[in-house]
Amino acid sequence: MKTWMDGLPQIPFAYRALPEGGEWMTREDAASSLGVGEFHLNALTHSTHRIDMVRTADKKLAVTRVSVEAEKHWRATAPRRRKVLRLLKDTALSF
């Protein structure tokens, strides 16, 4: 059975040092790319670890482009029942 995760690149452990370049984007750019606020983006990064954080060479926090693209893909293709289940799971895990 094919899932939405098939074909997506695997992301190594977060908070790794990356060189400057196109592998990452700022948190503000990621939030605007996903169409959410920074609070929602922080919830995605810290509580559920769906968006991977990285530390750039100049010690700033950023997010990986791959994880943002994977989240955008999931939001576009996931059925409604999966979105509801994800919301319920995230709500339950937030306590």
Side-chain angles (χ1 to χ4, degrees):
M1 183 173 150
K2 190 170 182 166
T3 65
W4 68 272
M5 292 179 61
D6 293 343
L8 292 177
Q10 296 298 314
I11 302 170
F13 183 71
Y15 293 108
R16 59 191 170 95
L18 286 180
E20 296 292 326
E23 297 178 8
W24 58 272
M25 58 182 17
T26 64
R27 290 182 289 173
E28 295 82 15
D29 291 342
S32 65
S33 175
L34 290 171
V36 299
E38 284 195 51
F39 179 79
H40 191 164
L41 182 72
N42 286 336
L44 286 171
T45 58
H46 296 294
S47 66
T48 60
H49 302 288
R50 287 193 186 96
I51 306 292
D52 290 326
M53 299 289 291
V54 294
R55 192 168 299 280
T56 61
D58 58 350
K59 306 290 186 209
K60 293 182 182 177
L61 286 177
V63 296
T64 61
R65 285 189 189 277
V66 173
S67 64
V68 171
E69 292 302 319
E71 178 67 16
K72 283 170 62 175
H73 177 73
W74 186 86
R75 288 173 180 238
T77 60
R80 185 172 302 227
R81 64 183 169 85
R82 289 283 183 199
K83 292 178 182 179
V84 170
L85 287 173
R86 182 178 179 183
L87 175 65
L88 292 173
K89 184 177 103 175
D90 290 350
T91 302
L93 291 176
S94 67
F95 293 110

